[in-house]
Amino acid sequence: MSNGANALIRTMVNAGVTTCFTNPGTSEMHFVAALDTVPEMRAVLALFEGVATGAADGYGRMADKPAATLLHLGCGLGNGLANLHNARKGRVPILNIVGDHATHHVQYDAQLQSDIETVARNVSSWVRTSKSTPNLGQDAAEAISACRGLPGQVATLILPADVSWSDGGVPALPPTIIAPMPADTATIATIAEALQGHGKKAFLLGARALRTTALMAVARIAAATGAKLFAEVLPTRMERGAGLPPVERLAYMAELASVQLTGLDHLILIDATAPVSFFAYPGKKSYLVPEGCQLHTLASFTQDVLGSLDLLSVAVGAGQSSPVLQAAKRPGRPRGKFTADKVCKAIGQLMPEHSIIVDEAITSGLMLSMFTAGAPQHDVIALTGGSIGFGLPNAVGAAIACPNRKVIALVGDGSAMYTIQALWTMAREKLDVISIIFNNRSYAVLNVELQRVGVSGVGEQARSQLDLKNPPIDFVQMGQSMGVASKRATTTDEFLAAFEQALQSPGPHLIEAIVPPTLTGLKLRVLPHLLQSLANLPQPIARALKRKIAP
Ligand SMILES: Cc1ncc(C[n+]2csc(CCOP(=O)(O)OP(=O)(O)O)c2C)c(N)n1
C-alpha cells in the first residue's frame, strides 16, 4: 500500500510533472524518502528556495509544462516568493508542494508554525491544504489541472506531515486539459475591419504569441495589412533570430515606449495586456496606450492564440501573404575598449543555434537585442515580474528542460548576488550553462532611476546605497568555490577567449566581465537617437523625446 507521499509523487509523474526542485526540511522527509520509490521523478536540490522557485520558472518556460518545488513550511515558501512572482507575471505553470506540521501538532504553535496559506495566496491562484491521505492524490491532480490550464499559474498544495506519512494513498489519474476557445466571430470581424482600414495599427504580442507558429501567423497578417509587431517589454519566452519575423520589443522606459506607440489608431493585444509604465514618475503618464487609439483583444490569457490567428488570417485574406523575415546577419568580432556592449556583440557573433538566453543583464544588456537580431534562431527569457535574482535560477531550470541546448545567462552583479547559490546546482547537475556576470560594481539602473524620479541634491549616503565597490565582489572565487569553472575578463580579447572556450566545453562556466556601467548620462542622451534609427521617427519627435529623457 502507498503512503501519501508515494501516491503524491506517482500522481505528479502520471500527469507529466517529472522534475522537482527541492529544499526540504523535517516535515518533508517522507516525500524525500518516497522519491526513490518513483525513479521517473528527477529531484534537484537547490540551496535556497529562491533558486528552487526560479529554476521551476525557467523549466516551465522552456518545457511548456510545470515543474514542482518542494519547500519547507511558510518560511521556505516565503523565501521563494520573488521568483514565484516572476512566474505568476509570466503565466508560467508551477506546482509548489509545501510541507507543514502534522495536523495534530498545529495546536501547539511550534517554532516553524505559520500561516502558509496566506503566504501562498500572494502568488498562487490555487491553494489547498490537503486534509487526508486517501484524498491527497486527487488534491494533487486538481493542483496540476489548475496550474496547467490557461493562463499558466502557480498552484500551491500544502502537505501536512501526517497526510504524507500515513498509509492509504491513492495515485490519481492525470487531469484532462480543456482546450481553449478562439476569439468569437464579432471580435474577429471588428479586428479585421480595423486592420483593413486606413488607420495606423499594431499588434502587441505576449507569451504564447511570441512562439514560432504564432509569430509566423501574425507576421503573415501584418504583411497583408501593414500592421506593426510589438512584443511586451519583458517576454516570458520569445523565439527570434534569422528566418523568424522580427518583432520590436516595447522599451522599459515609458518615455521611449510612448514614442514607439505614437500615432497608433488600433492596438491589438494577443496574450498581452495594455502597456503601462513600469513605475509611476511625478508628472508622467502611467497608461501608455495613446489617446484616441482603440484597444482590441484578439486572444486573452485564457483564449486560443493560434485558433484566433487562423480565423483572423482568413478574415483578412492573409493566407498567401509572405511574412517579413529577419535576414541572417551577425555582428563583426568586437575589438577595443571592453564594455558590456562588447559582450553583447560577442554573443551575437558566436552564440550557437538554439541557444537559450536568460536576460537579467539589466543595464548591461541594452544592445543585446540589436546584436543578436540576425543571429541563428534562439530563445530569450526575460524578467517578467521585475523581481531580481531570477537569472541564474532560471538558467538552471532551462538547462534541465532542454539538455541539448546551450544556456547563456546574462546577469548583473547586483542581481546575481540574490541567488548566487544557483551556481552550486549547475555544478552538481553538470548543466550546460554559461553564466556571464556583468561586474560593474553598481546598482547602475538605480543611478538612472535616481535621475528619472526627479530628486535633487543627491548626497553621499544616498549614492552609497547604489554602489557595490566596497568591498569588491570576486565572482571567480565564488564560482570556483561552488565547482563552476570560472574566469575573469578585463579586456575584450580575454572575454572572447573565455567565451569561445566555454562554448566548446560542455558543463557550467562562469565569466566575470569587469565592465563600466553602461547607462551613463551620455548613453541616456543617445537613447532617443538609437530609438529614432530603430523606429524611423521623425526628427521633431526624437528632439522632444530627448528633452523629456535627458533635459
Ligand atoms: C527583489 C527585488 N529587489 C530589489 C529590486 C530593485 N532593483 C532593481 S534593479 C536593482 C539593481 C540591479 O543591479 P545589477 O543587477 O547590478 O544591474 P545594473 O543595474 O548594474 O545593470 C535593484 C536593487 C528589484 N527589482 N527586485
Side-chain angles (χ1 to χ4, degrees):
M1 186 187 279
S2 280
N3 69 8
N6 179 276
L8 170 58
I9 301 175
R10 270 270 155 243
T11 304
M12 290 159 70
V13 164
N14 289 348
V17 181
T18 52
T19 303
C20 183
F21 297 98
T22 75
N23 190 267
T26 305
S27 37
E28 294 78 44
M29 283 300 111
H30 286 86
F31 185 104
V32 169
L35 284 169
D36 282 307
T37 66
V38 190
E40 301 94 312
M41 175 64 81
R42 178 172 179 183
V44 178
L45 177 61
L47 300 187
F48 174 63
E49 292 86 349
V51 175
T53 55
D57 180 25
Y59 180 98
R61 294 184 199 215
M62 293 311 301
D64 285 326
K65 64 174 189 170
T69 65
L70 179 69
L71 306 172
H72 189 47
L73 300 101
C75 300
L77 175 61
N79 278 345
L81 222 54
N83 275 326
L84 291 172
H85 163 85
N86 288 324
R88 185 177 79 82
K89 288 290 184 185
R91 306 184 288 289
V92 181
I94 293 182
L95 171 66
N96 291 319
I97 307 293
V98 182
D100 193 5
H101 286 311
T103 45
H104 57 268
H105 195 62
V106 170
Q107 59 186 310
Y108 303 115
D109 194 23
Q111 285 76 359
L112 272 162
Q113 176 78 35
S114 73
D115 181 353
I116 305 175
E117 291 195 3
T118 294
V119 181
R121 277 211 182 84
N122 184 276
V123 288
S124 321
S125 315
W126 187 100
V127 181
R128 182 177 300 167
T129 302
S130 195
K131 295 277 192 276
S132 85
T133 305
N135 289 343
L136 177 58
Q138 193 50 40
D139 287 338
E142 284 178 40
I144 294 165
S145 166
C147 69
R148 289 200 79 151
L150 281 178
Q153 52 198 297
V154 178
T156 299
L157 178 65
I158 300 164
L159 176 61
D162 54 337
V163 174
S164 180
W165 76 49
S166 299
D167 284 338
V170 188
L173 292 173
T176 35
I177 307 291
I178 297 161
M181 297 291 289
D184 59 35
T185 316
T187 305
I188 297 288
T190 308
I191 296 175
E193 193 185 327
L195 285 169
Q196 287 167 327
H198 293 301
K200 208 175 148 195
K201 51 254 169 183
F203 286 93
L204 178 57
L205 311 178
R208 289 172 295 149
L210 292 167
R211 306 289 292 278
T212 298
T213 313
L215 278 173
M216 295 301 277
V218 74
R220 255 183 240 112
I221 296 170
T225 61
K228 202 172 159 58
L229 300 182
F230 290 114
E232 56 191 355
V233 183
L234 294 162
T236 306
R237 174 178 173 187
M238 179 172 180
E239 294 182 324
R240 66 193 292 270
L244 287 178
V247 180
E248 190 177 313
R249 253 166 88 172
L250 282 187
Y252 161 80
M253 282 192 198
E255 301 91 327
L256 298 180
S258 292
V259 171
Q260 288 172 291
L261 298 169
T262 294
L264 279 184
D265 298 296
H266 297 278
L267 182 62
I268 303 155
L269 307 174
I270 310 185
D271 204 19
T273 48
V276 294
S277 172
F278 213 86
F279 293 105
Y281 299 91
K284 292 187 182 171
K285 280 199 320 183
S286 289
Y287 185 70
L288 302 181
V289 178
E291 250 169 65
C293 173
Q294 224 181 313
L295 199 61
H296 308 265
T297 299
L298 177 66
S300 70
F301 293 169
T302 54
Q303 284 179 301
D304 177 4
V305 166
L306 295 177
S308 302
L309 281 167
D310 283 349
L311 292 172
L312 186 61
S313 177
V314 172
V316 299
Q320 301 305 314
S321 70
S322 308
V324 175
L325 299 179
Q326 172 67 52
K329 186 167 167 255
R330 289 190 188 252
R333 200 170 169 82
R335 287 178 216 290
K337 185 172 176 268
F338 189 42
T339 60
D341 294 354
K342 300 285 166 59
V343 173
C344 297
K345 196 169 181 186
I347 290 165
Q349 208 216 17
L350 297 169
M351 75 175 187
E353 190 168 24
H354 303 311
S355 293
I356 301 166
I357 296 185
V358 181
D359 179 8
E360 197 182 29
I362 317 287
T363 56
S364 294
L366 189 65
M367 304 299 278
L368 184 69
S369 277
M370 199 185 91
F371 282 132
T372 53
Q377 286 183 22
H378 59 278
D379 285 74
V380 174
I381 60 188
L383 183 54
T384 40
S387 177
I388 62 175
F390 113 107
L392 296 173
N394 250 258
V396 167
I400 288 177
C402 304
N404 300 319
R405 299 175 65 172
K406 210 41 129 185
V407 179
I408 304 173
L410 303 175
V411 189
D413 50 349
S415 301
M417 286 302 288
Y418 283 66
T419 43
I420 195 74
Q421 306 90 326
L423 294 173
W424 183 86
T425 304
M426 288 178 196
R428 181 169 145 119
E429 300 289 327
K430 301 185 178 54
L431 302 179
D432 207 0
V433 178
I434 304 175
S435 302
I436 299 172
I437 298 185
F438 294 93
N439 193 349
N440 59 16
R441 306 207 161 120
S442 165
Y443 281 166
V445 70
L446 298 186
N447 278 303
V448 176
E449 293 290 357
L450 201 58
Q451 296 175 42
R452 292 180 76 215
V453 295
V455 292
S456 56
V458 178
E460 260 323 289
Q461 183 155 227
R463 239 188 292 275
S464 77
Q465 303 312 301
L466 317 179
D467 182 296
L468 308 184
K469 283 195 201 77
N470 183 19
I473 299 167
D474 186 332
F475 285 96
V476 172
Q477 273 191 20
M478 213 159 0
Q480 280 167 348
S481 76
M482 286 183 261
V484 173
S486 304
K487 291 221 164 97
R488 178 171 300 118
T490 57
T491 65
T492 304
D493 284 344
E494 279 174 10
F495 180 80
L496 284 165
F499 189 46
E500 279 172 332
Q501 204 240 322
L503 286 171
Q504 276 153 22
S505 46
H509 296 268
L510 180 151
I511 308 173
E512 179 185 33
I514 307 286
V515 291
T518 297
L519 214 52
T520 59
L522 176 70
K523 266 276 164 56
L524 267 181
R525 280 193 290 280
V526 170
L527 265 182
H529 299 296
L530 181 74
L531 192 79
Q532 184 187 13
S533 60
L534 289 176
N536 291 326
L537 293 176
Q539 274 287 348
I541 295 182
R543 270 201 298 272
L545 183 65
K546 189 177 161 193
R547 276 197 300 276
K548 261 197 203 171
I549 294 176

